[in-house]
Amino acid sequence: MSEQSEQQTREPFRIVAFSRRSGFSEGLSAIASTRQYADFQEFAEHSEPGAQLAFVVDLESLPEPLDLIRTIRRHPQWRMQLVWTRGDAGAEIRALADGAFEAVENPSERALTSSARLESAHGGQPFRSQDDVLLAMLWSHSHMSLQPVRDWTAPELYRYPLLDVLLEDDTSEFWLRGLKQRRLVEGQDLVDRVRLCPGCRHGHLSFVDVCPECDSLDIRTEPGLHCFSCGHVGPQRLFQDNGMLSCPNCHATLRHIGEDYDRPLENHVCGSCQHMFMDGRVLARCMACGQAHDPDALEPLGIYRYRLSEAGRLVARTGDVGDLYGVFDDINYVSPEHFEFFCDWSLKLRQRHDEIRFGLILLHLNGLARVIDTLGHGPGAALVDSLAERVKALVRATDLVTRTADDRIWLLLPQTSATGVDVLAGRLSQLLEDSVDGTPLDRLGHVYHESSMGMSEAEDAAAVMARLVSRSQ
Ligand SMILES: [Zn+2]
Ligand SMILES: [Zn+2]
Ligand SMILES: [Zn+2]
C-alpha cells in the first residue's frame, strides 16, 4: 500500500503504546491499530517516518515515564504528536502530556483535529524558532497550556516544564517574559504569587528581624524599665544596682512602680547597641546574591497558567509575518536612527525658519496577520507586494521611509503643507482599504499623520513619533 492511500483508509492514525505489561495495547486496538514498545529506543528503531501517530504511555509499568515523555517532546520528529497517559500522572507529566487517555471522548477525532491544525500551522512554513514550535504546539494541542510546576530549585520557585523541554536559547524565565511582553500568551488562572529579589530575580529569600537602630541580628526578648524622671527606656538588668533599681541614664533611684517607673511596651533589646524596641525591622535576605532588601522593595510575580492569546493564535496559524514588510524597505529607506535624526533636524530648522513645513505619516499594517490567515501566505504576500508598489508611486523622491517594530511604516515628508500631508494620508488610507477589495477583510491597516504645524516647540522626534504610536494602539 502506498503512503498516500494508507492515509485515506479508515484508520486515520496509529497508536504507539509504551508499556512493559503484556497485552496493554489490546484494549486500544479497537480505536486504532496499535503497536506496543517497551521504551523509546525500541520504538525509534522500528518507527516509519511520516506515520501519523498518537502515543499512549503506561505510567505504571515504565521505570522512568517522565524521561520518556520528555524525550518525545524534545524529539524534532515526534514532539508535536499527542501524548496521552494512563495511570497516575504527577504535575510535571501533566504539564507535558495531553491528559489522561480515559478522559478523551473521541481519540481519533482529537488526533485528526490536532494533525489538521499542525499542517496549517505557521502558514505551512517550516518552524524556525522555539517560538514557532511552542505556538504551533499550543495551537494544535487544544488541551495544552503552559502549566507551572512548583520547584524549590527554580530561580522563581516555579518552572514551566513545557518551556524547559522546548528551550533552545535564553533561559525559560526570559523566554516567558518575551512571550508575555509580545502578548502571545495570556494568564488563564493565577496559581500563586511569589516575591523576588529585585537585584537578581531569585525567590529564595530569608526573612530576619533586626534591630531598627543598628540592623544587628542579635536581638532578644527581655523585660525592660521606663524611668519617669528622664524618660529613659532600657533593659531591666541595666537598672539593677546592688539590689536597688537606679536609672543608668539620670541615676535617679526608682522605688515605686507607677510613681518612679513602669514597664514599657518595648520588650525587645538589641545585643549590640542595647536599644529597646517593640517590633524589629524585617529584612529579606536573598540567598542567591546576598543582598538584603526591605520586604516592600521585593518584586511580586504572579504565577499563572498561560494559554495562547488571540494574537498568539494568529501567529501560530500564520507564522511570523514580519519578513513580509521587507518590501517597503525598497522605498527611500533610511534606518530608524537616521529617520529620527532627519525628523529632529527638520524640527530644529523650523524654529529658525517660519516657512519650513513638513509632515509625518505612520502606516500601521496591523491587519496583515489576518490577511495571511484568511488568504494564505502566498496570496497575502502578493497583496503586500502590490501595496508596496502603489505606496512607492505616491512617495516623492525626497520623502524618507523607515520601518519600526515590523508592522509600522513611517514617512517623513519635507516641504509639505498641512493640507498636503492630509491629502497624502487620505490617499494611503484609501489604498489600505482598496488593497483588500474582493476579500472578506475591511482594511489592511490604518494611517496616522501629523503636520509640523501641530507639533509644539518643545517636542523632539521621539516624542512626536511616540504620540503617533500611542494613537495607533
Ligand atoms: Zn542595635
Ligand atoms: Zn532616668
Ligand atoms: Zn538576589
Side-chain angles (χ1 to χ4, degrees), residues 210-216 218-219 269-275 277:
V210 296
C211 166
E213 280 295 307
C214 74
D215 277 359
S216 166
D218 180 16
I219 57 173
V269 66
C270 170
S272 300
C273 72
Q274 307 300 326
H275 177 63
F277 51 92

Side-chain angles (χ1 to χ4, degrees), residues 227 229-232 247 249-250:
C227 163
S229 52
C230 75
H232 179 70
C247 173
N249 187 48
C250 70

